[in-house]
């Protein structure tokens, strides 16, 4: 089992930046692909981005590509989501998720989820 805890959310003005962190338990973090999803009221959970177990591969949703960057530090059991040029449309609860070995953009392929952290972007 993998426990995930997100942090770093908050309120930011449009155009600003935030960095979210997701800390994972376990001794085999480097064998899990990690991803970020988000969900806002009235909308389905949306893929944001994912990174391979080694961090050598990343994939992003078109809506965030060029603005958001996923990275990971396997020595710290932590994955990050750097969010730049934020807009009100980025307002959502952001979740990190883990699955064994292989990256995916599908929420239903992830086995472990954090509790989420709120990101609110104001105009």
């Amino acid at each position: 089992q993998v426990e995930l805890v997100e942090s770093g959310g908050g309120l930011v003005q449009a155009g600003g930046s935030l960095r979210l962190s997701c800390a994972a338990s376990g001794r085999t973090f480097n064998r899990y692909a990690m991803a970020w999803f988000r969900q806002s009221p009235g909308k389905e959970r949306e893929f944001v981005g994912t990174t391979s177990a080694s961090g050598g591969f990343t994939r992003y949703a078109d809506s965030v590509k060029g603005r958001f960057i996923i990275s990971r530090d396997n020595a710290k059991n932590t994955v990050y989501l750097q969010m730049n040029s934020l807009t009100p449309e980025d307002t959502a609860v952001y979740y990190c998720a883990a699955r064994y070995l292989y990256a995916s953009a599908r929420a239903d392929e992830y086995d472990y989820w954090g509790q989420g952290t709120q990101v609110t972007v104001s105009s």
Side-chain angles (χ1 to χ4, degrees):
Q1 297 297 305
V2 179
E3 299 289 336
L4 305 173
V5 180
E6 303 96 332
S7 63
L11 193 154
V12 63
Q13 293 188 43
S17 298
L18 282 175
R19 189 178 76 157
L20 306 183
S21 299
C22 177
S25 66
R27 298 180 62 190
T28 57
F29 179 71
N30 64 350
R31 297 184 183 179
Y32 286 84
M34 301 293 296
W36 290 93
F37 294 82
R38 65 187 182 185
Q39 188 166 23
S40 57
K43 296 180 64 178
E44 294 186 343
R45 188 166 46 188
E46 176 188 18
F47 171 72
V48 175
T50 186
T51 184
S52 61
S54 69
F57 170 84
T58 54
R59 176 184 175 186
Y60 301 94
D62 289 343
S63 60
V64 307
K65 190 173 183 179
R67 299 189 297 122
F68 291 9
I69 300 171
I70 294 173
S71 61
R72 65 191 294 162
D73 187 339
N74 285 349
K76 297 181 179 179
N77 274 28
T78 302
V79 63
Y80 305 96
L81 180 65
Q82 177 66 47
M83 304 184 294
N84 301 314
S85 301
L86 286 162
T87 76
E89 288 69 43
D90 296 314
T91 295
V93 177
Y94 284 72
Y95 299 91
C96 65
R99 71 186 302 269
Y100 192 63
L101 291 181
Y102 302 116
S104 173
R106 292 179 54 173
D108 62 2
E109 293 187 345
Y110 284 83
D111 301 302
Y112 306 103
W113 293 84
Q115 84 292 160
T117 186
Q118 175 70 232
V119 173
T120 302
V121 184
S122 65
S123 298

